[in-house]
Amino acid sequence: MEDKREYALVEHEKPFRYDEDGLHVTRGSAWSGPGCHLGCGLLMYTDDEGRLVKVEGDPENPFNEGRLCCRCLALPEVVYHEDRILYPMKRAKEDRGKDRWERISWEEALDTIATTFLDLKEKYGPECIAFYSGTGRDIGQYITRLSWGFGSPNFVFAMSGQSCYSPRVAGCFANTGAFWLGDYSQQFPDRYDNPNWVLPECIVVWGNNPLVSNSDGLYGHWIVDCMKRGSKLVTIDPRLTWLGAKSEHFLQIRPGTDAALALGMINYIIKEDLYDHEFVDLWCYGFDELAERAAEFPLGKTSEITWIPEEDIAAVARFIAEANNAILQWGVAIDQTKETIPTAQALLAVFEITGNIDKPGAMVNPPSILYYAAGWGSEFLTEEQYNKRIGLPEYPLLNLGFQECATDELIKTLETGKPYKLRAAWLQTTNILACTSPDPERTLAAHNNYDFIVCVDLFMTPTAMALADIFLPATTFPERNGLRIGDGMQRGETINQVIEPLGECKSDMEIDLEIGKRISPDVWPWDTVEDMYTSILAETGYNFEEMQEVAPGFPPFEYNMHEKGTLREDGQPGFQTPTGRIELWSHYYNHADLDPLPYFEEPSPGPGATPELLDEYPLVLTTGARIWSMFHSEHRQIPHLRALHPDAIIQVNPKTAAKYGVKDGDWVWVENQRGRCKRRVVETPVMDERVCSTDHAWWLPEAPGELEDGLYGMFDLDIGNLIEYKCGKSGFGANYKTLLCKIYRVDEGEE
């Protein structure tokens, strides 16, 4: 087909299935579950009995070029783990939190769910059922279709302020009409050798440790690749990371003060006349207003707020502005600040006024086949049902095409029954109690108000044990087919089945297709998941089986889209905004009754907002530092991966540890005005003496699982005990990474 010629392909030496050394080899892509954000190319080896025996990186895949992390290398341990749930199960609602499961057939499970959902829909309307997704990967878009096709506007990401990825997406679209990623040549099959690509002169790693946490389709080692080719780094982080130690400049920022730093840089760049006059004059709106706002942040004030020396702020601002091209490699730390929207606006503005948008080696707009941040199936949701989305009246910015309801309002709705009572929930790829939600006790109590809850997962989790009435077992990715096409990946990959599903497990997509055909058959017209994938791939000119043979396929890409009219629906030059320009002063925010300019608000509690708390809680705590061997709450039961990181830790400076009478290896309580949790101390000089950093999403699969026995140790270990539901003015963002705390030794016998 003619469309095929538009997709650039990799010429593989071997077909996607072949034999080698007595084993059968399948080329494919890894996403979930178990998962991460990447979708690396890999080779999966099976023996004559159809058993997965080993996994290697695929050297022919331009994405990771044969490199593979420990999580994929340990894949057989996950697939064949004795604790995997292999059959559908049910229990009575009154037995929630108790290990009183009864095995049932798929027919009974799906019929029970469908009958219950349809009955509730008829009595109370489809909005009474909420559909939850976790970090999603290749599964989130099917859950949105399940929700919207059923008629429910309540698709849920159970995190206060949707504080992961969505805020940065919201900020980009509101101000520029598109999402922007760093250009590491990932859109070209010949990568760094592509003649159109230019090496970024400057890469600013801001609130992200990309070698461990690979967000937005980034493979972190691309940064190392660019460093080897001559790129210079700036790292802005409360911790001195490995990349920070290799950077030209390292700014050890106080957590939650990123907006102040960005505004201080903007002010310096403007005052020193370092901004790109031509780009600003042609393509930016509201520059004078931005300059006036940024003038409130001279270097002295910015330094006082951020704890960064004035001369270092000035040096980094000049370094970015004078680079021929620069990348902002930002991360979830920006999302997990309560006023994330103005923070993201400020950070991106640094790169907008210096002209680092839509050009080689700078920030580029990624092509995608099915962009999962926007969901799939919104055309099935009527205007009447759309307007029933929880949180829409309180947070008008959600009208900007974002898929989730407002989680903070959802909790209130569960507690009060207003504006209507929620009666059932579908939880898939999510472990809300142990991972995303603050205040687990409040979250548990609120969710117990659902009359009926379904959980879909690989293993029993604290969330499933505490809440589920029906548990549906999902396959791991080697047991099923799938697509890797969204999240800024800039390529089309297939996830290829290499072994038969264990027990009676079904893929997440097959589960959604089967329940979808029961509750909204017109929305799910396909006979098989492969038919469904072919429908999604229609724009590529390949069906699913053909794409398996040729993947990865790279969709058409071009630079300087704003000059060519390919960023706007009307085909005119510019950006998809009300003014046709990058809006440094945002009409979208103004119409949503938000400040149209970026601003800084002190994190509260925090040294600047609540100094009266410092006597009791003297340390600034940042949470959620990523772990090499685990992805969020996954992998805790995998022996090789757990051995690399056996305990929940808190990193503190040695001087801080000595000050509070603890030492490396001690168990401590980390406590604030809301609650406490246990951590093992790791002394490290990478931390500022006033700041400590801890993991998130901890639970112990080996511990007793029933609620009365501590729910796999979760309530002692959950950092959410210290966090409250409190989102930003826009409905986006919450202070997950900016808390106050104290630490003290766990008494003997409490360990």
Side-chain angles (χ1 to χ4, degrees):
M1 299 175 68
E2 185 175 348
D3 286 343
K4 286 186 180 180
R5 292 197 296 271
E6 296 181 4
Y7 271 69
L9 303 174
V10 177
E11 292 194 15
H12 297 285
E13 292 184 5
K14 297 179 180 179
F16 88 101
R17 284 201 172 104
Y18 59 94
D19 292 337
E20 184 176 284
D21 297 330
L23 295 174
H24 309 290
V25 186
T26 301
R27 193 177 69 239
S29 177
W31 208 359
S32 60
C36 74
H37 288 297
L38 290 182
C40 288
L42 46 76
L43 302 175
M44 293 171 283
Y45 292 77
T46 53
D47 61 20
D48 287 339
E49 297 178 356
R51 187 175 176 87
L52 180 69
V53 294
K54 69 173 180 177
V55 177
E56 294 178 345
D58 181 359
E60 294 186 1
N61 193 302
F63 182 79
N64 55 309
E65 299 177 310
R67 296 172 288 201
L68 213 57
C69 78
C70 55
R71 293 193 296 269
C72 272
L73 294 174
L75 183 60
E77 290 185 60
V78 180
V79 172
Y80 299 111
H81 196 282
E82 62 182 3
D83 291 342
R84 275 193 62 193
I85 307 298
L86 302 180
Y87 307 97
M89 303 187 299
K90 71 175 183 179
R91 65 181 172 189
K93 180 183 176 184
E94 57 267 24
D95 287 333
R96 288 180 183 173
K98 300 175 182 178
D99 190 12
R100 295 183 179 175
W101 296 99
E102 172 190 346
R103 178 177 168 180
I104 58 175
S105 69
W106 273 103
E107 198 71 18
E108 179 182 353
L110 294 174
D111 285 349
T112 300
I113 296 165
T115 299
T116 303
F117 280 14
L118 290 170
D119 182 59
L120 291 171
K121 179 178 182 177
E122 183 177 354
K123 290 179 179 177
Y124 307 108
E127 65 274 10
C128 76
I129 302 176
F131 294 80
Y132 289 60
S133 173
T135 191
R137 284 93 75 186
D138 58 325
I139 299 168
Q141 55 263 54
Y142 302 95
I143 306 173
T144 61
R145 191 177 188 90
L146 203 59
S147 178
W148 298 335
F150 184 69
S152 173
N154 293 318
F155 174 74
V156 184
F157 178 62
M159 196 170 195
S160 180
Q162 292 72 249
S163 304
C164 180
Y165 187 56
S166 290
R168 277 171 292 145
V169 176
C172 285
F173 272 94
N175 297 315
T176 71
F179 188 49
W180 302 95
L181 300 176
D183 178 15
Y184 303 98
S185 77
Q186 65 268 41
Q187 65 274 32
F188 303 120
D190 51 353
R191 295 300 308 275
Y192 308 112
D193 295 328
N194 188 279
N196 296 315
W197 180 70
V198 175
L199 179 75
E201 187 173 321
C202 169
I203 300 174
V204 182
V205 181
W206 197 326
N208 181 222
N209 187 10
L211 299 186
V212 184
S213 176
N214 302 271
S215 64
D216 310 340
L218 169 82
Y219 187 76
H221 284 276
W222 296 341
I223 293 177
V224 178
D225 292 343
C226 289
M227 291 167 63
K228 290 178 178 178
R229 288 166 169 79
S231 296
K232 303 299 183 183
L233 263 61
V234 171
T235 298
I236 301 170
D237 200 293
R239 299 187 304 164
L240 177 60
T241 62
W242 184 88
L243 286 176
K246 304 295 182 182
S247 296
E248 294 293 303
H249 301 276
F250 170 63
L251 303 184
Q252 193 158 25
I253 191 171
R254 172 164 70 95
T257 62
D258 306 87
L261 177 59
L263 286 164
M265 288 183 179
I266 291 168
N267 181 54
Y268 181 85
I269 289 168
I270 294 174
K271 296 290 186 184
E272 295 294 313
D273 198 27
L274 298 172
Y275 66 94
D276 187 326
H277 285 254
E278 181 179 5
F279 188 82
V280 167
D281 290 344
L282 288 175
W283 304 113
C284 293
Y285 174 88
F287 177 76
D288 291 340
E289 291 85 349
L290 175 67
E292 184 177 355
R293 174 63 56 84
E296 300 172 12
F297 291 85
L299 289 178
K301 178 180 178 180
T302 305
S303 174
E304 182 180 352
I305 292 170
T306 62
W307 297 351
I308 300 170
E310 292 183 41
E311 61 271 20
D312 292 346
I313 299 171
V316 167
R318 180 173 291 275
F319 189 65
I320 296 170
E322 292 182 344
N324 290 320
N325 46 11
I327 284 174
L328 169 61
Q329 186 54 54
W330 50 358
V332 75
I334 308 307
D335 304 325
Q336 294 181 353
T337 301
K338 187 166 80 68
E339 292 308 321
T340 178
I341 288 294
T343 299
Q345 187 182 10
L347 266 65
L348 198 57
V350 173
F351 293 80
E352 291 165 341
I353 67 171
T354 53
N356 285 296
I357 299 291
D358 200 20
K359 72 178 187 179
M363 303 299 286
V364 294
N365 177 237
S368 59
I369 298 172
L370 178 60
Y371 187 47
Y372 83 70
W376 185 39
S378 59
E379 68 272 18
F380 297 106
L381 199 62
T382 66
E383 184 177 358
E384 179 184 5
Q385 288 305 114
Y386 174 90
N387 289 328
K388 293 178 182 178
R389 183 166 26 149
I390 291 171
L392 208 57
E394 293 82 2
Y395 302 112
L397 195 62
L398 289 171
N399 278 306
L400 194 62
F402 297 99
Q403 57 191 9
E404 303 105 338
C405 66
T407 303
D408 301 80
E409 294 302 313
L410 178 102
I411 291 295
K412 296 176 187 176
T413 296
L414 284 169
E415 293 170 333
T416 66
K418 297 177 181 178
Y420 48 80
K421 182 174 173 56
L422 291 165
R423 299 181 181 273
W426 174 277
L427 277 65
Q428 190 170 7
T429 74
T430 185
N431 184 6
I432 62 174
L433 292 180
C435 188
T436 55
S437 297
D439 200 339
E441 291 189 0
R442 181 184 178 190
T443 302
L444 175 61
H447 281 75
N448 261 321
N449 289 326
Y450 281 118
D451 299 325
F452 182 66
I453 299 176
V454 180
C455 281
V456 185
D457 218 311
L458 306 179
F459 294 91
M460 186 59 63
T461 66
T463 298
M465 179 59 78
L467 292 170
D469 303 310
I470 287 183
F471 187 105
L472 302 180
T475 62
T476 59
F477 67 81
E479 300 168 84
R480 53 110 172 158
N481 287 323
L483 296 174
R484 187 18 166 152
I485 52 177
D487 191 28
M489 289 308 293
Q490 301 175 317
R491 71 189 197 280
E493 293 268 17
T494 58
I495 298 167
N496 299 322
Q497 182 178 347
V498 297
I499 59 173
E500 290 300 313
L502 273 64
E504 294 180 5
C505 294
K506 293 179 182 284
S507 75
D508 287 273
M509 298 75 185
E510 185 178 4
I511 293 169
D512 291 358
L513 178 60
E514 291 194 11
I515 193 65
K517 291 175 81 69
R518 283 169 164 83
I519 64 175
S520 47
D522 292 344
V523 179
W524 301 85
W526 306 282
D527 293 328
T528 67
V529 290
E530 286 77 19
D531 293 340
M532 182 166 60
Y533 302 151
T534 291
S535 177
I536 294 170
L537 290 170
E539 70 180 69
T540 72
Y542 294 87
N543 63 33
F544 177 72
E545 289 76 15
E546 291 169 335
M547 184 61 82
Q548 285 182 299
E549 295 284 350
V550 301
F554 292 77
F557 172 83
E558 58 184 346
Y559 294 110
N560 302 310
M561 297 171 68
H562 66 286
E563 296 178 354
K564 302 171 184 176
T566 50
L567 282 177
R568 293 181 57 86
E569 291 178 358
D570 60 11
Q572 296 299 308
F575 296 82
Q576 187 64 32
T577 63
T579 60
R581 299 185 178 198
I582 290 173
E583 296 202 340
L584 305 171
W585 186 101
S586 172
H587 281 86
Y588 279 116
Y589 295 160
N590 190 51
H591 291 159
D593 294 325
L594 300 170
D595 193 324
L597 290 165
Y599 60 88
F600 167 67
E601 182 178 289
E602 275 284 351
S604 182
T610 57
E612 69 277 6
L613 294 178
L614 292 178
D615 287 341
E616 180 72 13
Y617 306 110
L619 297 173
V620 177
L621 174 66
T622 180
T623 76
R626 299 299 190 255
I627 300 171
W628 284 103
S629 58
M630 301 174 185
F631 183 68
H632 294 304
S633 67
E634 293 185 76
H635 302 105
R636 297 293 190 273
Q637 60 278 93
I638 308 306
H640 279 93
L641 300 180
R642 182 70 176 278
L644 293 170
H645 198 104
D647 301 309
I649 67 167
I650 184 167
Q651 293 183 313
V652 298
N653 188 284
K655 293 181 180 178
T656 306
K659 181 177 181 180
Y660 295 104
V662 299
K663 64 181 184 303
D664 200 73
D666 283 349
W667 280 100
V668 296
W669 289 107
V670 182
E671 182 177 319
N672 70 1
Q673 70 280 11
R674 300 195 56 79
R676 67 179 188 173
C677 68
K678 288 180 182 176
R679 289 294 185 269
R680 190 185 287 276
V681 171
V682 172
E683 294 184 40
T684 172
V686 306
M687 300 303 304
D688 185 291
E689 293 176 37
R690 298 163 287 185
V691 180
C692 48
S693 173
T694 190
D695 309 335
H696 74 304
W698 266 97
W699 60 292
L700 305 176
E702 69 274 16
E706 294 196 328
L707 181 59
E708 65 179 16
D709 294 326
L711 208 60
Y712 303 105
M714 188 201 77
F715 285 109
D716 274 349
L717 293 169
D718 194 346
I719 194 63
N721 293 333
L722 284 70
I723 303 171
E724 64 179 326
Y725 281 98
K726 193 171 185 180
C727 66
K729 299 179 183 70
S730 63
F732 289 99
N735 284 335
Y736 281 76
K737 289 186 176 289
T738 57
L739 308 170
L740 292 178
C741 76
K742 63 181 177 181
I743 59 173
Y744 55 95
R745 192 189 304 270
V746 169
D747 290 336
E748 187 175 347
E750 288 185 313
E751 297 181 6

